Amino acid sequence: MKAVRFHEYGEIDVLRVEEVKRPGPGPGQVLVEVRSAGIQPGEVMIRKGARHERWPAAFPSGQGSDLAGVAVEVGTQVRGFAVGDEVLGFTHDRASHAEFVVVDDVNLVSRPQGLSWDVAGSLYVAGTTAYASVFAVDPGPADTVVVSGAAGGVGSLAVQLARRHGATVIGLASERNHAWLKDRGVVPVKYGEGVAERIEQAAGGNVDAFIDTFGDGYVELAVELGVRPERINTIRDWQAAARVGARTYGEGSAACAVVLGKLARLAACGELEVPIARTYPLERVRDAFRELEQGHTHGKIVLRP
């Protein structure tokens, strides 16, 4: 089968699509023929070696956690899945950017009717991260919540989930994404110089919570706006969070099939939109990451093996 590999830390050009041995499922595992697999900013950091202390790579390394596809082989002791089932899920083995991947059955859910392959294959990391971020700041109908990177893969879901809690949501994004945010009941604010004043004007009073999906000083900004540290959550700036006592709930805080299944059902019935920015064939994985690393993508970029 074909799979993405890199044999050393580096820039995009270390990524290769190689022929590797097709794996077989062990007990409690399912072999999935991958139809779609999302890509993540965190994978860039891992590939560059910037997360070596936290998530070291063993070479040659694969990539990818999100996936959706069809079960083509099941191991012994598998519960709830059979050959031919359409599924979505995740792997912690950096292996979903491939034509086939072995997945533990507890990390899979059935693909709901009406959920597109592209959304199904890109929902896990962004969805569970957004879910955990919103849970961390506990928004309610009386709250005003600011979300940085509000049109990105995680932010676009976090604003919708926070709105489902009844909160007033202010989304920081470029002007080209303001119409999309407005259509989803979010108050759009342009990021950049003077953003604190624009947030205060949009809030018309206190800011109660802050979800940072971007980094780059937003934790400090939240403190300046008077948000209590326990109601600030960042998925990028762990050092700033440690300094001020903010939270760092992310994917790992909601990494389970129960949460993924809930998000999949919301997306399938139209109550949660998962924007798909672009799709690429597996062979163009470098092009996919070039677009991702520009940092201006609205929604998810998806590989189609």
Side-chain angles (χ1 to χ4, degrees), residues 9 19 22 41 73 80 90 93 110 136 150 162 176 189 213 218 222 241 246 252 283 293:
Y9 290 131
E19 293 284 343
R22 173 172 151 172
E73 190 176 346
F90 57 96
D93 295 332
S110 297
R176 64 193 176 117
V189 167
T213 74
Y218 282 115
E283 290 78 6
E293 291 181 42

Side-chain angles (χ1 to χ4, degrees), residues 61-201:
S61 177
Q63 277 196 156
S65 54
D66 290 22
L67 64 102
V70 179
V72 293
E73 190 176 346
V74 296
T76 60
Q77 303 171 28
V78 166
R79 296 168 296 175
F81 300 100
V83 171
D85 286 352
E86 297 181 349
V87 297
L88 65 149
F90 57 96
T91 173
H92 295 306
D93 295 332
R94 299 180 189 168
S96 70
H97 296 170
E99 291 179 320
F100 296 88
V101 60
V102 167
V103 188
D104 293 340
D105 62 356
V106 294
N107 295 339
L108 290 172
V109 297
S110 297
R111 183 171 75 110
Q113 185 175 2
L115 187 68
S116 76
W117 283 115
D118 290 337
V119 170
S122 60
L123 186 57
Y124 167 68
V125 169
T128 58
T129 302
Y131 185 95
S133 298
V134 172
F135 176 85
V137 303
D138 190 24
D143 291 328
T144 297
V145 183
V146 177
V147 180
S148 68
V154 174
S156 61
L157 303 183
V159 295
Q160 295 178 73
L161 293 173
R163 286 289 296 134
R164 287 181 59 81
H165 285 256
T168 298
V169 180
I170 296 173
L172 307 184
S174 61
E175 290 184 359
R176 64 193 176 117
N177 293 314
H178 283 193
W180 185 88
L181 291 168
K182 284 182 180 178
D183 288 345
R184 281 139 195 89
V186 178
V187 180
V189 167
K190 183 182 178 181
Y191 63 84
E193 186 177 353
V195 68
E197 292 77 14
R198 291 193 292 275
I199 291 172
E200 289 174 339
Q201 183 177 7

Side-chain angles (χ1 to χ4, degrees), residues 272-285:
L272 178 68
E273 181 183 350
V274 184
I276 302 298
R278 194 182 300 272
T279 63
Y280 289 89
L282 191 68
E283 290 78 6
R284 293 183 59 196
V285 62

